[in-house]
Amino acid sequence: MRQSGTVKFYNAQKGYGFITPDDGGKDVFVHVTAVERAGIPNLDEGARISFETEPDKRGKGPKAVNLQYS
């Protein structure tokens, strides 16, 4: 299911960040691989973005995938 949110934090050098979903849920982790797959050069803090979530392989909660600027 597609969600929308705002980029809360993204550190390109560390390769991760967080998106605050519009529905008010917990912040969603986003990894640099998802950003690269989407062809986005960099996630800017405060940018509007839509995404889907999938479970993290390490069991740390959902992570954002299939990113698109809104």
Side-chain angles (χ1 to χ4, degrees):
M1 184 178 84
R2 228 156 160 80
Q3 300 181 56
S4 294
T6 304
V7 178
K8 179 178 183 177
F9 160 83
Y10 184 74
N11 185 320
Q13 290 174 328
K14 291 187 178 181
Y16 73 93
F18 292 92
I19 299 169
T20 302
D22 289 344
D23 69 8
K26 286 177 54 176
D27 290 345
V28 179
F29 178 79
V30 60
H31 192 262
V32 65
T33 54
V35 177
E36 290 170 348
R37 279 190 206 120
I40 297 172
N42 191 32
L43 284 182
D44 298 319
E45 289 178 24
R48 299 283 304 142
I49 196 148
S50 67
F51 60 95
E52 295 175 9
T53 59
E54 69 180 29
D56 182 59
K57 290 181 178 76
R58 296 181 186 161
K60 293 187 179 182
K63 64 179 180 179
V65 294
N66 299 329
L67 308 173
Q68 292 180 333
Y69 272 121
S70 301

